[in-house]
Amino acid sequence: MEKLESKGRGFELQDRAGEIFAVDFLAGAEGISSRVRRMFCEPWSRMDYFYTLSLLWPKPTSLPLTFRFFSGLEGYAWIFPGKESFSLGIGSRGKQFQAGQFFSLFEKALDSDPELAEIKPRLRKQAVSWLIPALRFSTLRQQKVAADNWALIGDASGAAHAVSGGGIPYALKTASLLAEALKAGRPEQYQALWWRLCKDELAGAALWGPLFYRPFIQGMLSGYLLKSGSAKKLVVRLLSGEHPPRREIFSGLAKMLLGF
Ligand SMILES: Cc1cc2nc3c(=O)[nH]c(=O)nc-3n(C[C@H](O)[C@H](O)[C@H](O)COP(=O)(O)OP(=O)(O)OC[C@H]3O[C@@H](n4cnc5c(N)ncnc54)[C@H](O)[C@@H]3O)c2cc1C
């Protein structure tokens, strides 16, 4: 879609080839930079984005699923092993760094293991930068995602985990909720369905996410406290988008603070 305009009670869209389509309902599913969202909603602040550099290395790795924290980085570096390739990257909330500084930190993350040494010289050429929605609670709560003739789903709606950045399940779930509302002939109900999903599965991370990325907590995570095996497991579960029961989170945090 190259152009989008309101026309009467519907919309007119123009594709790259110049073909024009008239529609009476618009579902914005075009990811984080959604034109539909920008047409109808308040812009997000830079604190509602996770800035990432990442690359897919076309070889298997013996390294495990890894999250690394650095004092001063409001985010983390990761290694996600796959069968024939692995993804590695670094992300920070709220565009903390200039590109050069961010790459230097990414290179530092690669120093953690000799297996990653061959990637380092190729990093600046091959890594790509992506934005991921990481909405703070206030933005998530106020997000408008539907009216009588338009709706937003997936990243376009901001439905992603504010700490892990995981958004694939929420792209599918929000699409299914919108389909449910449209099938019932009640598109306006989608706003409430969307919020119920976000309240149950994303609001917690939107609330504790900004705290998680505070320099004090990141300092703790990057230092001796992650020597605690159970705390380490808890952080990996949280960053993998799991929803451990609250009592497990509090007991994990207590263990982290006590250092066991
Ligand atoms: C490096 C990285 C790693 C990630 N890892 C994970 C992970 O491990 N697990 C997880 O759950 N999530 C992960 N995510 C997040 C996940 O990719 C997104 O949350 C998910 O893809 C959102 O799906 P979506 O369909 O809403 O948007 P997208 O996947 O962004 O799809 C939007 C589509 O719309 C198209 N589009 C954009 N503009 C237009 C236009 N004007 N006209 C027509 N089409 C348009 C785009 O080309 C794209 O195909 C990761 C993201 C990144 C950047």
Side-chain angles (χ1 to χ4, degrees), residues 16 19 54 69 99 146 173 185 256:
R16 233 174 242 170
E19 194 172 344
S54 69
F69 301 93
K173 286 181 188 185
M256 205 188 290

Side-chain angles (χ1 to χ4, degrees), residues 41-59:
C41 307
E42 291 290 314
W44 295 339
S45 121
R46 72 186 171 85
M47 294 310 288
D48 292 314
Y49 292 92
F50 206 59
Y51 294 78
T52 67
L53 289 173
S54 69
L55 82 161
L56 194 65
W57 195 247
K59 281 185 184 173

Side-chain angles (χ1 to χ4, degrees), residues 47 74 93 134-137 162-163 204-215 217:
M47 294 310 288
E74 294 190 32
R93 197 184 178 93
L135 303 196
R136 294 160 304 160
F137 180 80
V163 173
L207 272 173
W208 61 261
L211 182 70
F212 184 80
Y213 289 125
R214 296 305 301 160
I217 301 279

Side-chain angles (χ1 to χ4, degrees), residues 105-203:
L105 213 49
F106 197 2
E107 284 165 347
K108 197 170 151 196
L110 299 188
D111 290 337
S112 62
D113 196 286
E115 215 185 290
L116 302 174
E118 63 166 334
I119 303 176
K120 202 167 163 180
R122 317 267 281 276
L123 197 64
R124 291 188 186 234
K125 272 214 159 144
Q126 294 196 5
V128 282
S129 64
W130 298 99
L131 286 174
I132 295 184
L135 303 196
R136 294 160 304 160
F137 180 80
S138 55
T139 312
L140 189 72
R141 185 65 192 101
Q142 285 160 24
Q143 184 62 48
K144 189 167 164 55
V145 294
D148 54 354
N149 61 355
W150 63 270
L152 299 170
I153 58 174
D155 275 11
S157 73
H161 194 279
V163 173
S164 70
I168 295 170
Y170 303 105
L172 297 172
K173 286 181 188 185
T174 52
S176 164
L177 292 176
L178 177 59
E180 198 182 300
L182 290 174
K183 221 166 117 190
R186 307 287 304 274
E188 73 285 356
Q189 279 189 349
Y190 172 64
Q191 179 78 45
L193 295 172
W194 179 90
W195 171 244
R196 195 183 307 153
L197 169 72
C198 291
K199 183 159 68 81
D200 291 348
E201 302 193 19
L202 298 172

